[in-house]
mmCIF file of all heavy atoms in Angstrom:
data_model
loop_
_atom_site.group_PDB
_atom_site.id
_atom_site.type_symbol
_atom_site.label_atom_id
_atom_site.label_comp_id
_atom_site.label_asym_id
_atom_site.label_seq_id
_atom_site.Cartn_x
_atom_site.Cartn_y
_atom_site.Cartn_z
ATOM 1 N N PRO V 207 -31.710 -23.100 4.645
ATOM 2 C CA PRO V 207 -31.638 -22.688 3.243
ATOM 3 C C PRO V 207 -30.323 -22.005 2.916
ATOM 4 O O PRO V 207 -29.655 -21.439 3.791
ATOM 5 C CB PRO V 207 -32.816 -21.715 3.103
ATOM 6 C CG PRO V 207 -33.763 -22.097 4.203
ATOM 7 C CD PRO V 207 -32.879 -22.558 5.339
ATOM 8 N N ALA V 208 -29.953 -22.049 1.650
ATOM 9 C CA ALA V 208 -28.667 -21.519 1.217
ATOM 10 C C ALA V 208 -28.488 -20.057 1.620
ATOM 11 O O ALA V 208 -27.404 -19.645 2.035
ATOM 12 C CB ALA V 208 -28.522 -21.682 -0.295
ATOM 13 N N ARG V 209 -29.536 -19.258 1.510
ATOM 14 C CA ARG V 209 -29.412 -17.840 1.853
ATOM 15 C C ARG V 209 -29.092 -17.660 3.331
ATOM 16 O O ARG V 209 -28.325 -16.760 3.711
ATOM 17 C CB ARG V 209 -30.698 -17.095 1.490
ATOM 18 C CG ARG V 209 -30.924 -16.947 -0.012
ATOM 19 C CD ARG V 209 -32.146 -16.103 -0.301
ATOM 20 N NE ARG V 209 -32.346 -15.912 -1.726
ATOM 21 C CZ ARG V 209 -33.344 -15.203 -2.254
ATOM 22 N NH1 ARG V 209 -34.221 -14.623 -1.449
ATOM 23 N NH2 ARG V 209 -33.464 -15.080 -3.568
ATOM 24 N N ILE V 210 -29.701 -18.498 4.170
ATOM 25 C CA ILE V 210 -29.434 -18.400 5.606
ATOM 26 C C ILE V 210 -28.012 -18.844 5.911
ATOM 27 O O ILE V 210 -27.324 -18.249 6.744
ATOM 28 C CB ILE V 210 -30.458 -19.239 6.385
ATOM 29 C CG1 ILE V 210 -31.846 -18.621 6.251
ATOM 30 C CG2 ILE V 210 -30.055 -19.367 7.849
ATOM 31 C CD1 ILE V 210 -32.935 -19.390 6.970
ATOM 32 N N VAL V 211 -27.550 -19.906 5.228
ATOM 33 C CA VAL V 211 -26.180 -20.376 5.435
ATOM 34 C C VAL V 211 -25.185 -19.279 5.076
ATOM 35 O O VAL V 211 -24.257 -18.972 5.832
ATOM 36 C CB VAL V 211 -25.901 -21.651 4.616
ATOM 37 C CG1 VAL V 211 -24.420 -22.033 4.713
ATOM 38 C CG2 VAL V 211 -26.773 -22.801 5.113
ATOM 39 N N GLY V 212 -25.384 -18.667 3.897
ATOM 40 C CA GLY V 212 -24.479 -17.594 3.474
ATOM 41 C C GLY V 212 -24.497 -16.422 4.427
ATOM 42 O O GLY V 212 -23.456 -15.879 4.805
ATOM 43 N N ALA V 213 -25.704 -16.023 4.841
ATOM 44 C CA ALA V 213 -25.822 -14.897 5.769
ATOM 45 C C ALA V 213 -25.193 -15.234 7.116
ATOM 46 O O ALA V 213 -24.579 -14.389 7.761
ATOM 47 C CB ALA V 213 -27.293 -14.533 5.950
ATOM 48 N N GLY V 214 -25.333 -16.489 7.532
ATOM 49 C CA GLY V 214 -24.757 -16.900 8.804
ATOM 50 C C GLY V 214 -23.245 -16.816 8.804
ATOM 51 O O GLY V 214 -22.634 -16.333 9.762
ATOM 52 N N PHE V 215 -22.624 -17.276 7.729
ATOM 53 C CA PHE V 215 -21.166 -17.206 7.647
ATOM 54 C C PHE V 215 -20.704 -15.750 7.607
ATOM 55 O O PHE V 215 -19.693 -15.398 8.223
ATOM 56 C CB PHE V 215 -20.663 -17.957 6.417
ATOM 57 C CG PHE V 215 -20.507 -19.433 6.633
ATOM 58 C CD1 PHE V 215 -21.415 -20.328 6.111
ATOM 59 C CD2 PHE V 215 -19.456 -19.926 7.382
ATOM 60 C CE1 PHE V 215 -21.281 -21.695 6.317
ATOM 61 C CE2 PHE V 215 -19.303 -21.284 7.605
ATOM 62 C CZ PHE V 215 -20.224 -22.172 7.067
ATOM 63 N N LYS V 216 -21.436 -14.910 6.899
ATOM 64 C CA LYS V 216 -21.061 -13.493 6.856
ATOM 65 C C LYS V 216 -21.196 -12.850 8.237
ATOM 66 O O LYS V 216 -20.395 -11.992 8.615
ATOM 67 C CB LYS V 216 -21.933 -12.761 5.841
ATOM 68 C CG LYS V 216 -21.623 -13.108 4.390
ATOM 69 C CD LYS V 216 -22.525 -12.351 3.432
ATOM 70 C CE LYS V 216 -22.213 -12.692 1.990
ATOM 71 N NZ LYS V 216 -23.086 -11.983 1.030
ATOM 72 N N ALA V 217 -22.222 -13.268 8.978
ATOM 73 C CA ALA V 217 -22.445 -12.690 10.296
ATOM 74 C C ALA V 217 -21.296 -12.985 11.252
ATOM 75 O O ALA V 217 -21.021 -12.197 12.169
ATOM 76 C CB ALA V 217 -23.754 -13.212 10.882
ATOM 77 N N THR V 218 -20.604 -14.113 11.054
ATOM 78 C CA THR V 218 -19.476 -14.433 11.929
ATOM 79 C C THR V 218 -18.310 -13.483 11.712
ATOM 80 O O THR V 218 -17.411 -13.420 12.544
ATOM 81 C CB THR V 218 -18.995 -15.880 11.699
ATOM 82 O OG1 THR V 218 -18.486 -16.015 10.372
ATOM 83 C CG2 THR V 218 -20.143 -16.867 11.910
ATOM 84 N N ALA V 219 -18.322 -12.797 10.585
ATOM 85 C CA ALA V 219 -17.257 -11.826 10.299
ATOM 86 C C ALA V 219 -17.873 -10.448 10.074
ATOM 87 O O ALA V 219 -17.475 -9.707 9.175
ATOM 88 C CB ALA V 219 -16.462 -12.262 9.071
ATOM 89 N N LEU V 220 -18.862 -10.121 10.913
ATOM 90 C CA LEU V 220 -19.618 -8.881 10.718
ATOM 91 C C LEU V 220 -18.711 -7.655 10.751
ATOM 92 O O LEU V 220 -18.861 -6.731 9.939
ATOM 93 C CB LEU V 220 -20.705 -8.769 11.794
ATOM 94 C CG LEU V 220 -21.630 -7.557 11.690
ATOM 95 C CD1 LEU V 220 -22.356 -7.560 10.366
ATOM 96 C CD2 LEU V 220 -22.618 -7.546 12.857
ATOM 97 N N THR V 221 -17.765 -7.636 11.695
ATOM 98 C CA THR V 221 -16.857 -6.492 11.786
ATOM 99 C C THR V 221 -16.068 -6.310 10.500
ATOM 100 O O THR V 221 -15.881 -5.184 10.024
ATOM 101 C CB THR V 221 -15.888 -6.673 12.972
ATOM 102 O OG1 THR V 221 -16.634 -6.843 14.179
ATOM 103 C CG2 THR V 221 -14.981 -5.458 13.106
ATOM 104 N N THR V 222 -15.620 -7.423 9.941
ATOM 105 C CA THR V 222 -14.866 -7.362 8.680
ATOM 106 C C THR V 222 -15.717 -6.763 7.573
ATOM 107 O O THR V 222 -15.250 -5.920 6.796
ATOM 108 C CB THR V 222 -14.397 -8.772 8.278
ATOM 109 O OG1 THR V 222 -13.540 -9.271 9.304
ATOM 110 C CG2 THR V 222 -13.647 -8.735 6.955
ATOM 111 N N TYR V 223 -16.976 -7.164 7.492
ATOM 112 C CA TYR V 223 -17.859 -6.644 6.449
ATOM 113 C C TYR V 223 -18.180 -5.171 6.670
ATOM 114 O O TYR V 223 -18.269 -4.397 5.715
ATOM 115 C CB TYR V 223 -19.143 -7.475 6.383
ATOM 116 C CG TYR V 223 -18.978 -8.729 5.568
ATOM 117 C CD1 TYR V 223 -18.620 -9.926 6.168
ATOM 118 C CD2 TYR V 223 -19.156 -8.722 4.188
ATOM 119 C CE1 TYR V 223 -18.448 -11.088 5.422
ATOM 120 C CE2 TYR V 223 -18.992 -9.871 3.430
ATOM 121 C CZ TYR V 223 -18.637 -11.047 4.046
ATOM 122 O OH TYR V 223 -18.457 -12.189 3.289
ATOM 123 N N LEU V 224 -18.328 -4.764 7.929
ATOM 124 C CA LEU V 224 -18.617 -3.352 8.206
ATOM 125 C C LEU V 224 -17.430 -2.455 7.844
ATOM 126 O O LEU V 224 -17.607 -1.305 7.440
ATOM 127 C CB LEU V 224 -18.982 -3.174 9.683
ATOM 128 C CG LEU V 224 -20.319 -3.787 10.123
ATOM 129 C CD1 LEU V 224 -20.500 -3.639 11.628
ATOM 130 C CD2 LEU V 224 -21.481 -3.144 9.380
ATOM 131 N N LYS V 225 -16.231 -3.000 8.015
ATOM 132 C CA LYS V 225 -15.030 -2.217 7.705
ATOM 133 C C LYS V 225 -14.595 -2.357 6.251
ATOM 134 O O LYS V 225 -13.549 -1.845 5.865
ATOM 135 C CB LYS V 225 -13.879 -2.653 8.616
ATOM 136 C CG LYS V 225 -14.093 -2.350 10.083
ATOM 137 C CD LYS V 225 -12.818 -2.558 10.890
ATOM 138 C CE LYS V 225 -12.338 -3.976 10.840
ATOM 139 N NZ LYS V 225 -11.132 -4.194 11.690
ATOM 140 N N LYS V 226 -15.384 -3.064 5.451
ATOM 141 C CA LYS V 226 -14.978 -3.354 4.080
ATOM 142 C C LYS V 226 -14.682 -2.095 3.248
ATOM 143 O O LYS V 226 -13.674 -2.067 2.528
ATOM 144 C CB LYS V 226 -16.052 -4.199 3.398
ATOM 145 C CG LYS V 226 -15.658 -4.696 2.014
ATOM 146 C CD LYS V 226 -16.714 -5.644 1.471
ATOM 147 C CE LYS V 226 -16.361 -6.118 0.082
ATOM 148 N NZ LYS V 226 -17.375 -7.044 -0.449
ATOM 149 N N PRO V 227 -15.499 -1.027 3.314
ATOM 150 C CA PRO V 227 -15.163 0.173 2.527
ATOM 151 C C PRO V 227 -13.786 0.742 2.868
ATOM 152 O O PRO V 227 -13.033 1.152 1.978
ATOM 153 C CB PRO V 227 -16.281 1.155 2.888
ATOM 154 C CG PRO V 227 -17.431 0.285 3.282
ATOM 155 C CD PRO V 227 -16.801 -0.881 3.992
ATOM 156 N N ILE V 228 -13.451 0.758 4.168
ATOM 157 C CA ILE V 228 -12.141 1.265 4.573
ATOM 158 C C ILE V 228 -11.040 0.336 4.068
ATOM 159 O O ILE V 228 -9.992 0.783 3.583
ATOM 160 C CB ILE V 228 -12.076 1.406 6.109
ATOM 161 C CG1 ILE V 228 -13.098 2.436 6.586
ATOM 162 C CG2 ILE V 228 -10.671 1.789 6.555
ATOM 163 C CD1 ILE V 228 -13.190 2.545 8.093
ATOM 164 N N THR V 229 -11.275 -0.959 4.168
ATOM 165 C CA THR V 229 -10.289 -1.942 3.709
ATOM 166 C C THR V 229 -10.033 -1.782 2.210
ATOM 167 O O THR V 229 -8.883 -1.838 1.755
ATOM 168 C CB THR V 229 -10.783 -3.369 3.998
ATOM 169 O OG1 THR V 229 -11.002 -3.514 5.405
ATOM 170 C CG2 THR V 229 -9.765 -4.396 3.540
ATOM 171 N N LEU V 230 -11.096 -1.571 1.444
ATOM 172 C CA LEU V 230 -10.930 -1.392 -0.006
ATOM 173 C C LEU V 230 -10.097 -0.160 -0.314
ATOM 174 O O LEU V 230 -9.225 -0.194 -1.199
ATOM 175 C CB LEU V 230 -12.298 -1.275 -0.681
ATOM 176 C CG LEU V 230 -13.190 -2.525 -0.638
ATOM 177 C CD1 LEU V 230 -14.521 -2.240 -1.328
ATOM 178 C CD2 LEU V 230 -12.487 -3.700 -1.303
#
Side-chain angles (χ1 to χ4, degrees):
R209 290 185 178 180
I210 293 179
V211 173
F215 276 105
K216 289 180 180 179
T218 64
L220 183 59
T221 303
T222 299
Y223 277 93
L224 291 175
K225 294 191 298 183
K226 187 174 178 180
I228 297 175
T229 301
L230 294 179

